[in-house]
Amino acid sequence: MRQNSVRKEGARSRAPHASDHGWDEGSKEPSSDAAVSAGGSRQPGHRRRRGSGGRGAPPRRRRRVLRWSATVLSVLILGTAGAGYLYYQHLNSNIETDDLNLGEHRAPEPTPNAAGQTPLNILLIGSDARDSKENQKLGGAKDTFGAPPLADVQMLLHLSADRSNMSVISMPRDTLLTIPKCTDPDDGKVYPESGPRTMTNESLGRGGPGCTVATWEKLTNIHIDHYMMVDFAGVVSMADAIGGVPVCVDKNIHSRDSRGKGSGLKLRKGTTEVQGEQALQWLRTRYGFEDGTDIGRAKAQHMYMNALVRKLRENTGLTSPNQLRKLADKATKALNVDNGLGTVKKLYDLGNELKKVSPARTTMTTMPFDYVGARVVPKPGDAEQLFRLVRDDIPLDGKGRKKPAKEKASDDPAAEDDRIAVQVQNGTRTVTEPPATGRASAVAQILAAKGFKKATPDMTTVLTEAKTVVRYPSVDLEGDAQRVAKSLGLPLSSAKKSTDVSGVTLVVGADWREGDAPPKHKKKDDRTPDSAGALSGSDKKACMKVNPEFTW
């Protein structure tokens, strides 16, 4: 079996947020406050674990959604490489692994559907760095060589429980939020919780990809099963290997401004198959697409991803077994995954799951946002709506949605109110507001006045919960939990089974920050918000709008 080893590399400092461009095309300035040099010991949060057959070169940083290309290639193709046992071991030794979640909080696991199936959530991460000669040549910006990783691409891939549909949510890299406390598993360094106006891409430098996972779980309350980070330089060769991906622009484009900034992408109006460095240019282009922001770039990345998946499913450009073996080798060298995905077999099994979804049932979205200066924050209402749809395993394409079932009272009879022990927790914190002071105590008193004499506040726990919920650990407490919900005027469906609690636990959500009773909620709207910019994986007519200042 493969054994992983850890290498650490030395550090230098740099000014925080010297540039708004992060990994931007042609950017010469960094956007974080710490750095690592190639060789030597590493800055916390940038680790490397390889088997004895792995490469000896410094770890290569991941860049943008081009990593998605490698991810798709690896999970869809690895099992078809026709490799024997030794080659299988070689591929295993290529794969880097790391811890999944470095935070203290885990989002609740989803409830299985009637068939016992559960959804699968995978966080795709790409970072902004140049820490190998190959990455440096492709990315430029020599003064950022060896800098610590920034999670400049973050995409949550949600595979439905019945494997009928897939949803992807991109988070803009400039999103301001609170990064939770994270502990680096290598050296035990503790990164305290950040302030609420911290850029989300800084999470990767606070112990590793597991802190980015922890940040997503805190923001969305979506349970994440795995993460994938993919190497930058190896992706260019993989883009070559598949023979090009078709992309479209509505005008001639040349991504280069008077200051020399831009990816250098130069295409004629219409559809072109891009590969290698040209594919990299497409995925890096910000100057020239729409309004020149990261949002337009995300749209271009979604189009590329959709076209790539369609091409892979059509099996065009990849016919030689030797070609597939080479591609599998490059793909595994590019991957950094959590420990639960650290073998070729596990990746192959995952690939088989992903292949069950057709492009027509794949939906790409961007987290709804509002601008705050040059940065963004989650858009109130719309962002939580999108997260809820994923939590509830509701397809973002609007197909196959079932009418909500009538609420059913538990077969387990409830105890007398004064005998039901209820712990009350404050879950009123949001991504934009601090927790409402004293809510656990106030609601415990409200319950006591209703006859629940054993209601007690938990003063040590502050959570982020959009809606008030009553959790219970086992079936024998379901009736008690429903009784608490009913007494407060909450629907019976707000009583949910959870292994995260040891008894009946009322979590006061952000919907009940004040007052003596939780608000009455309207019937759920299960439509995907327009602000999410949904794009179907089957849309072959999607075409990027070119900024007139960058046409030729």
Side-chain angles (χ1 to χ4, degrees):
M1 294 295 293
R2 171 175 63 90
Q3 292 183 349
N4 290 327
S5 60
V6 178
R7 290 185 53 187
K8 298 198 173 187
E9 298 172 297
R12 61 178 174 82
S13 63
R14 62 171 177 161
H17 303 311
S19 169
D20 284 343
H21 308 309
W23 72 279
D24 281 353
E25 63 275 19
S27 173
K28 300 299 181 183
E29 296 180 340
S31 57
S32 186
D33 58 1
V36 289
S37 61
S41 63
R42 72 163 179 85
Q43 186 65 248
H46 192 187
R47 65 184 50 74
R48 176 183 184 81
R49 295 184 178 131
R50 287 245 188 234
S52 58
R55 295 167 293 170
R60 301 188 299 183
R61 302 295 262 297
R62 289 88 189 151
R63 182 189 296 280
R64 280 299 189 185
V65 172
L66 193 51
R67 278 79 180 159
W68 168 257
S69 311
T71 301
V72 173
L73 287 167
S74 62
V75 298
L76 294 183
I77 296 173
L78 281 177
T80 67
Y85 176 75
L86 291 179
Y87 191 68
Y88 173 81
Q89 290 297 87
H90 165 72
L91 293 179
N92 275 344
S93 71
N94 284 344
I95 303 169
E96 293 182 12
T97 63
D98 227 322
D99 293 348
L100 176 62
N101 190 315
L102 304 184
E104 297 178 323
H105 168 70
R106 291 304 311 271
E109 294 187 15
T111 302
N113 63 14
Q117 303 165 304
T118 54
L120 191 61
N121 296 307
I122 305 168
L123 187 64
L124 309 178
I125 305 171
S127 69
D128 174 10
R130 288 90 167 161
D131 59 357
S132 73
K133 289 183 178 180
E134 191 173 3
N135 280 341
Q136 183 68 56
K137 180 180 178 181
L138 291 167
K142 294 181 179 179
D143 55 350
T144 65
F145 187 88
L150 293 172
D152 271 357
V153 169
Q154 299 174 40
M155 289 188 172
L156 182 66
L157 185 155
H158 171 82
L159 186 61
S160 66
D162 63 5
R163 305 304 190 249
S164 68
N165 65 91
M166 184 163 60
S167 306
V168 177
I169 301 176
S170 293
M171 185 189 297
R173 56 148 197 180
D174 290 346
T175 300
L176 299 177
L177 42 69
T178 298
I179 299 175
K181 173 183 173 183
C182 292
T183 302
D184 190 313
D186 284 353
D187 57 17
K189 180 174 180 179
V190 176
Y191 295 83
E193 181 177 278
S194 76
R197 293 181 60 82
T198 305
M199 280 176 58
T200 181
N201 63 358
E202 293 185 16
S203 60
L204 188 57
R206 296 165 61 90
C211 193
T212 306
V213 170
T215 302
W216 268 81
E217 289 208 354
K218 177 181 177 181
L219 173 68
T220 67
N221 209 30
I222 296 170
H223 181 85
I224 295 175
D225 301 283
H226 300 291
Y227 81 81
M228 285 184 167
M229 287 202 314
V230 189
D231 184 89
F232 167 41
V235 175
V236 172
S237 58
M238 284 189 287
D240 280 331
I242 65 171
V245 173
V247 296
C248 176
V249 288
D250 69 349
K251 300 181 185 69
N252 294 350
I253 181 174
H254 187 199
S255 177
R256 189 72 74 200
D257 67 9
S258 59
R259 298 173 296 167
K261 290 184 176 293
S263 70
L265 178 71
K266 191 171 184 179
L267 297 175
R268 292 188 178 277
K269 176 182 177 180
T271 300
T272 304
E273 289 214 349
V274 296
Q275 60 188 100
E277 290 190 39
Q278 195 174 44
L280 171 62
Q281 290 174 337
W282 174 273
L283 294 165
R284 295 183 64 206
T285 295
R286 182 165 73 89
Y287 297 104
F289 284 156
E290 299 193 348
D291 61 357
T293 69
D294 196 51
I295 309 306
R297 177 163 49 195
K299 291 181 181 179
Q301 292 163 352
H302 290 168
M303 291 180 190
Y304 181 93
M305 290 161 63
N306 283 339
L308 172 66
V309 173
R310 288 196 301 268
K311 183 156 188 176
L312 288 173
R313 291 180 68 90
E314 292 166 0
N315 294 318
T316 57
L318 291 170
T319 57
S320 163
N322 185 54
Q323 188 181 28
L324 288 171
R325 280 194 293 271
K326 288 181 179 179
L327 188 55
D329 187 50
K330 292 171 183 176
T332 50
K333 285 179 178 177
L335 282 174
N336 177 295
V337 300
D338 65 277
N339 296 321
L341 277 182
T343 69
V344 172
K345 184 181 185 306
K346 290 177 180 178
L347 288 169
Y348 178 56
D349 290 343
L350 173 60
N352 284 333
E353 293 296 292
L354 295 176
K355 285 192 293 185
K356 294 176 182 177
V357 181
S358 70
R361 296 301 312 278
T362 300
T363 306
M364 304 284 180
T365 64
T366 299
M367 179 195 75
F369 62 89
D370 286 328
Y371 278 105
V372 178
R375 312 297 186 195
V376 301
V377 295
K379 185 178 184 66
D382 283 9
E384 172 52 32
Q385 167 79 344
L386 190 63
F387 299 152
R388 180 186 67 79
L389 293 178
V390 170
R391 282 197 303 269
D392 292 349
D393 198 26
I394 297 172
L396 299 186
D397 60 7
K399 300 175 183 177
R401 293 176 184 166
K402 299 178 180 178
K403 293 182 179 180
K406 292 184 178 180
E407 292 193 332
K408 180 184 177 182
S410 173
D411 294 331
D412 172 59
E416 296 297 323
D417 291 354
D418 60 359
R419 297 181 61 188
I420 299 176
V422 186
Q423 188 175 59
V424 183
Q425 296 177 339
N426 188 346
T428 59
R429 180 177 58 189
T430 71
V431 294
T432 57
E433 295 180 290
T437 304
R439 286 308 286 164
S441 295
V443 174
Q445 292 174 10
I446 292 171
L447 282 173
K450 291 179 176 292
F452 294 89
K453 304 300 182 184
K454 291 187 177 182
T456 58
D458 177 0
M459 309 298 289
T460 64
T461 304
V462 176
L463 304 174
T464 298
E465 197 74 47
K467 292 184 179 180
T468 301
V469 62
V470 185
R471 295 197 170 101
Y472 61 94
S474 54
V475 176
D476 60 312
L477 291 177
E478 182 181 30
D480 292 356
Q482 287 190 354
R483 173 61 194 150
V484 172
K486 186 175 181 180
S487 71
L488 293 171
L490 295 168
L492 296 183
S493 59
S494 65
K496 298 183 181 297
K497 187 178 178 182
S498 171
T499 57
D500 290 342
V501 297
S502 57
V504 176
T505 303
L506 172 66
V507 184
V508 184
D511 60 340
W512 192 13
R513 292 178 64 88
E514 58 185 9
D516 294 338
K520 300 291 184 181
H521 290 288
K522 298 179 181 178
K523 185 179 179 180
K524 287 184 179 180
D525 180 1
D526 288 343
R527 293 174 296 179
T528 301
D530 292 339
S531 55
L535 176 67
S536 171
S538 63
D539 187 352
K540 295 182 179 181
K541 296 182 179 180
C543 204
M544 282 305 299
K545 293 182 178 179
V546 175
N547 188 314
E549 295 182 6
F550 289 86
T551 192
W552 55 279

